[in-house]
Amino acid sequence: MAVEVYLDNAATTPVLPAVKQALIEVLDIYGNPSSLHEQGAKAQRVLDQARTQMQRGLGLRTGKIIFTGGGTEANNTAIFGTVARHGRRGHHLVTTAIEHPSVLEAFRALERQGWSVSYVMPQSDGSVEASDILHAVTPETVLVSMMHVNNETGAVLPIEEVADGLSAFPKTLLHVDGIQGFGKVKTNLHSQNIHMYSVSGHKLGAPKGIGALYVRAGLDIHPLLYGGGQEFGLRSGTENIPGIHAFAVAAKLASDEQAEQEKRVFHLRTLLRDRLKHHPRCIVHEPRRVSPYILSVSFRLLKGEVLVHAMEMEGVYVSTGSACSTKGGRVAASHVLQAMHVSEEEITGTLRLSLARWTTEAEVLHAADVILKQVDWLYEVGGIHR
């Protein structure tokens, strides 16, 4: 049986054993945290502890942690909640052209409602300049929303520099989509101008269906969901206590090891990149500041989905790009690579290889061998010569 290597951790991760155990331990705590009796109090204590753990994982002592049904909901709450509450400040919004669809589609919906939106383009390597974002901001800008780490290229965006620059625009709020950044790269949310930060559990070894939004102390936004007023009135509905507990445990594990694992995974990414670069047709998309957890490469004239299935036959699981860019089983052309002005031939043959902190060197070396073998085979059967 082939050795299995999973390098699609930017799409989702397996539930870690320690997280699974933690999940099982609270399944019998069935009370509703809003109930006044002891069963409710037990659930409330788990919820309070999880909120504190998440806050510590983000390196914060103040502000609200709003648990949501996932990263998409957290991003939507930040964006729609801000414009609903602060829409009188102006009618202009800023984001980047390489955001995840959970941000881009929210902004397009707002455009249809009459909002003016500036989409900041990346450099050809996938990087985004802080100066380009700040240049787009005007006194009428209500919100800037940008990702911390791009989910396709691994580009690390300059959130601290943008936050500093927004000091000149005191009415403008900053939301950061931290879903690919939290627990993986250094996260500094101490700037007064980072007002909201979204995170997701299943990118860190927790189950799917749980996310969170950090909201800076004193900031008021409107909710997406109305009802019983749970989660400080920003996310009504009975809390998912097992999922929240599991997320908090996964977040603690990730944040406790972040600095050490970032260095180790950086070595693995370099090893993988350098092995693949030996192939004469391999093109690496290498942003100036890059997360060690994501590597984007292209093999011109090949089809990414064919490569994915060829490698799957040998037990190696990778992606053509964002898992969220597949629609109805068909792969949509990457809007991120298009914004970088990558040629169509390169986009079609792109693979995203995403590592986790539990990925081993042996797995990386095996995956590189399989990728190179399958690439050569596909070039040969396709009659494409070097």
Side-chain angles (χ1 to χ4, degrees):
M1 185 178 176
V3 175
E4 287 201 351
V5 178
Y6 183 78
L7 294 183
D8 198 15
N9 292 285
T12 193
T13 58
V15 178
L16 294 174
V19 175
K20 194 181 296 182
Q21 183 60 38
L23 185 66
I24 292 169
E25 286 169 3
V26 299
L27 282 177
D28 288 334
I29 298 177
Y30 57 84
N32 186 325
S34 298
S35 297
L36 297 179
H37 49 65
E38 177 55 21
Q39 291 300 334
K42 283 183 184 177
Q44 184 65 52
R45 286 194 287 274
V46 174
L47 179 59
D48 291 342
Q49 185 180 25
R51 214 183 300 279
T52 301
Q53 275 190 344
M54 289 297 300
Q55 204 171 37
R56 287 177 181 161
L58 288 164
L60 300 165
R61 292 186 178 178
T62 61
K64 298 171 187 169
I65 301 295
I66 313 300
F67 288 109
T68 66
T72 293
E73 185 187 327
N75 283 339
N76 273 249
T77 300
I79 295 165
F80 289 108
T82 296
V83 300
R85 175 65 182 82
H86 301 284
R88 291 183 178 178
R89 294 182 179 182
H91 219 63
H92 178 241
L93 306 165
V94 176
T95 189
T96 81
I98 61 169
E99 297 297 311
H100 186 273
S102 61
V103 169
L104 277 182
E105 293 304 322
F107 276 91
R108 286 172 183 147
L110 289 167
E111 270 191 301
R112 291 193 289 274
Q113 295 174 21
W115 283 80
S116 170
V117 181
S118 295
Y119 297 93
V120 177
M121 298 300 286
Q123 304 292 305
S124 59
D125 68 350
S127 302
V128 176
E129 299 292 339
S131 57
D132 289 342
I133 292 176
L134 293 169
H135 184 70
V137 177
T138 77
E140 294 294 310
T141 305
V142 175
L143 175 69
V144 175
S145 181
M146 60 190 290
M147 55 190 2
H148 192 178
V149 172
N150 183 263
N151 54 309
E152 294 191 33
T153 65
V156 178
L157 272 63
I159 60 172
E160 292 92 353
E161 293 93 324
V162 170
D164 289 346
L166 286 178
S167 297
F169 300 92
K171 292 183 179 177
T172 303
L173 300 177
L174 174 60
H175 162 248
V176 177
D177 171 0
I179 290 168
Q180 296 292 347
F182 175 52
K184 298 177 181 176
V185 300
K186 185 179 178 183
T187 303
N188 177 9
L189 302 183
H190 291 286
S191 167
Q192 293 291 329
N193 292 327
I194 297 180
H195 300 92
M196 293 165 282
Y197 191 89
S198 302
V199 294
S200 176
H202 74 106
K203 310 296 188 184
L204 296 173
K208 299 168 185 62
I210 184 70
L213 176 67
Y214 155 71
V215 179
R216 190 164 192 82
L219 175 64
D220 184 24
I221 61 172
H222 281 182
L224 282 186
L225 303 177
Y226 291 85
Q230 289 90 345
E231 297 301 295
F232 307 99
L234 286 175
R235 208 279 184 177
S236 289
T238 304
E239 292 91 344
N240 169 10
I241 294 299
I244 287 171
H245 178 63
F247 186 14
V249 170
K252 182 177 188 312
L253 290 171
S255 55
D256 284 352
E257 300 177 1
Q258 185 272 318
E260 175 189 346
Q261 292 298 336
E262 186 176 359
K263 292 178 186 172
R264 192 188 72 82
V265 178
F266 181 82
H267 163 72
L268 297 182
R269 183 187 182 280
T270 302
L271 197 62
L272 181 59
R273 181 199 64 191
D274 291 350
R275 287 278 177 124
L276 298 180
K277 274 174 71 176
H278 279 304
H279 195 284
R281 286 187 181 271
C282 179
I283 300 166
V284 178
H285 305 128
E286 190 80 323
R288 190 168 62 256
R289 290 176 61 196
V290 67
S291 164
Y293 289 87
I294 296 176
L295 174 64
S296 174
V297 296
S298 289
F299 294 92
R300 287 179 65 249
L301 303 176
L302 295 185
K303 291 187 180 298
E305 59 266 40
V306 175
L307 271 170
V308 167
H309 291 305
M311 281 177 275
E312 179 185 9
M313 291 171 63
E314 298 221 22
V316 175
Y317 300 97
V318 300
S319 168
T320 53
S322 166
C324 301
S325 68
T326 57
K327 295 178 180 176
R330 298 186 64 186
V331 179
S334 163
H335 68 283
V336 175
L337 299 178
Q338 285 178 330
M340 291 161 57
H341 299 294
V342 173
S343 72
E344 204 61 40
E345 286 181 344
E346 267 184 63
I347 293 176
T348 304
T350 295
L351 294 179
R352 179 186 66 182
L353 314 167
S354 49
L355 286 64
R357 67 179 192 279
W358 48 86
T359 302
T360 67
E361 184 169 318
E363 289 177 324
V364 163
L365 293 175
H366 178 69
D369 289 344
V370 170
I371 292 169
L372 293 173
K373 174 184 162 189
Q374 293 298 332
V375 163
D376 277 339
W377 177 69
L378 288 171
Y379 275 129
E380 185 179 339
V381 298
I384 304 168
H385 303 292
R386 293 184 180 185

